[in-house]
Amino acid sequence: MAESSSLVVRPTGEQARRGRFTVALEQIWVLTRRSVLATWRNPGSWVPGLVFPLGISAIYTAQFARAISLPGFPEVDSFLEFILPASVMQSIAFGSTNAGTDLAKDIETGFFDRLIASPVARQSILVGRIAGSAVFAALQAAVLVVVFVIFGAGMASGPAGALAVVLVATLLSVALGGFGIALGLRTGNQEATQSTFPLVFVLIFVSSAFFPTTLMRGWYRQVAEVNPFSLIIDPTRRLVIEDWSWADLGQAAGVSVAIAVVSLGLSYRQYLWRLRAT
Amino acid sequence: MTTTTTPIDVDRLGPVAAGPVIRWLSGRALRRMRRLPSLFVPVILMPLFFVVAFTGSFDGVTRLDGFPTDELVNWIAAYSMLQGATMAGVGSAGVIATDLENGFLDRLLASPVPRMAILLGPLAYAATRALIPTTLVLLVAAAQGADMPGGPMGIVLVYAGTVGTSMVIGSLGLAVVLRIRRYQAISIVQMGAFLILFPSIGQVPLGLLTGWMSTAARVNPTTNVLRMTRQGFIGEVSWADTWPGLVVIAVGTVVFLTWARRELDRLAG
């Protein structure tokens, strides 16, 4: 009871006239825009997420150019095509902690407390932050896809495939961002939230991101095959190197949404905890 | 009665005066690392992760014609060790950057301490720190089935390569931090160090590289250090594969340390 009542914001006269839902949407829009602009104005938080995956792709494409002829390697024109989805997902993973660290910063600086004290719908604060990171992730993914295409990566399923890659990346950013937000809310500490990054880095490495699992051996292969990142990257990759398939889009998006449900549920719980603590 | 004090040219005191300072400064940095898990854990975990992940992920490349070993761990172990050594080198930059920000470096410069010792202390710390990932990766690689046909000499060269790399990167880090005089300079050192390390024969031999990577790896000095460090895993140790690596380490350390010393003198005014 205490939890639900803490989420109720009594509408002011103006808000009541326009309808609570419309006001909440406006607040989400404002907070989303703030989140996107804050990220944009802090290049240190997103430039590495673009540069590092591009650098890794350039290096791996040159290093493993001959590996594409190995039996068991998917049929591709270049390693660049193979690595495209992995680079996009890696970029998203890089930025996944940003939403959490930004929220932790708001808590550290007291901005979060001021938002809570203001007549802003409680849900809008959380949704605005998640939507902000999702919008930025979509832009980042789109830029990466364009860069890859410019450098010669083919897109077998055409523009629809490119859009699908961006969609999956956006869903994944929500999924991973949810964990970052949960941690940011729990700790209220930027450094602690940022420290989860290596975990994501490890998870993405022990997957089919950079090499096909068919060419791996032993326990590593077993772990890579069941790694959720593989379950997202493999169908996304098929959209890039094979024809369009609703089933592949469904799998990649479905796994991302399933992870998002868990992470957002976790972040909502932490949000309620933070509201009680504030 | 008035007393006059003659300024001491501390740099003329020589190694007798520098020795205890270097020991104390490196010991202080090692104690700080032990107390801060955020410094200590990546040093241990990241190189171990690299050797396991690279070996697991790219195992298939050993099936390519011309790959010099059937077990990828023989190829990757040295690369992971050098990554650990690079992090250790960056750590020395972290030490001087912290001392710069909290004013300790100013007090050191004002005290009768040989200037070179102020630089050699963090470098000794980097070299000691490099021994940790090297030993751990060596053990994990052995557990993963790595060979050492090069025998004890191969192992000596493994340590020579990693300690040497930590000294080169450490000297570079000291110079950059003293030049920029901000803690954020560490990111530049980190990025620069890994940019030097990546375009090399770290994951794939020279003969299998293509395009710009082949050219970059051929002229990259890291290739020589890797060749020297790795040779014991692949076959017999040879002087031809050793001396270019030693030259890179010696020249790199002298050049960057001279630069760092110049920046330190500028800082001292």
Side-chain angles (χ1 to χ4, degrees), chain A residues 52 56 58-67 69-71 201-202 205-207 210-211 214-217 219-220, chain B residues 46 49-50 52-54 56-61 63-64 70-71 198-200 202-204 207-210 212-213:
Chain A
F52 192 78
I56 289 281
I59 288 167
Y60 282 0
T61 300
Q63 274 186 341
F64 299 124
R66 299 199 179 166
S69 60
L70 283 168
F201 184 79
V202 168
F205 225 102
V206 190
S207 74
F210 301 111
F211 226 65
T214 47
L215 293 172
M216 296 174 187
R217 277 191 298 178
W219 68 267
Y220 197 91
Chain B
M46 286 314 278
F49 169 72
F50 285 140
V52 174
F54 287 161
S57 288
F58 305 117
D59 184 65
V61 292
R63 294 176 215 171
L64 286 169
D70 291 339
E71 290 293 335
F198 282 143
S200 66
Q203 284 166 300
V204 180
L208 294 177
L209 293 173
T210 55
W212 67 270
M213 178 60 103

Side-chain angles (χ1 to χ4, degrees), chain B residues 234-247:
Chain B
I234 306 296
E236 295 289 320
V237 168
S238 75
W239 179 240
D241 280 342
T242 306
W243 73 262
L246 292 176
V247 168

Side-chain angles (χ1 to χ4, degrees), chain A residues 2 10 17 21 29 49 55-56 75 79 83-84 88 93-94 96 118 144 181-183 207 219 226 241 250 253 259:
Chain A
R10 300 274 170 237
R17 192 172 58 78
F21 184 69
W29 165 246
I56 289 281
E75 222 171 281
F79 197 83
I83 208 171
L84 188 157
V88 173
F94 257 101
S96 65
S118 68
L144 278 171
I181 284 175
L183 202 68
S207 74
W219 68 267
V226 297
I241 64 177
I259 299 170

Side-chain angles (χ1 to χ4, degrees), chain A residues 96-113:
Chain A
S96 65
T97 50
N98 284 348
T101 46
D102 288 350
L103 195 55
K105 188 181 174 188
D106 283 351
I107 293 169
E108 278 178 353
T109 57
F111 183 75
F112 183 80
D113 289 344

Side-chain angles (χ1 to χ4, degrees), chain A residues 4 22 42-43 46 53 57 73 81 123 156 170 208 212 225 229 237:
Chain A
S4 59
T22 315
N42 181 17
W46 57 269
S57 305
F73 204 97
E81 275 174 24
Q123 289 86 346
T170 310
S208 60
E225 277 174 345
F229 274 111
R237 178 173 288 138

Side-chain angles (χ1 to χ4, degrees), chain B residues 22-33:
Chain B
I22 295 169
R23 260 202 313 278
W24 187 84
L25 285 174
S26 60
R28 173 176 167 267
L30 284 166
R31 281 192 296 278
R32 180 172 165 265
M33 182 183 83

Side-chain angles (χ1 to χ4, degrees), chain A residues 122-144:
Chain A
R122 300 289 193 254
Q123 289 86 346
S124 304
I125 299 172
L126 196 59
V127 175
R129 178 63 69 188
I130 292 164
S133 61
V135 168
F136 210 86
L139 291 171
Q140 213 164 348
V143 169
L144 278 171

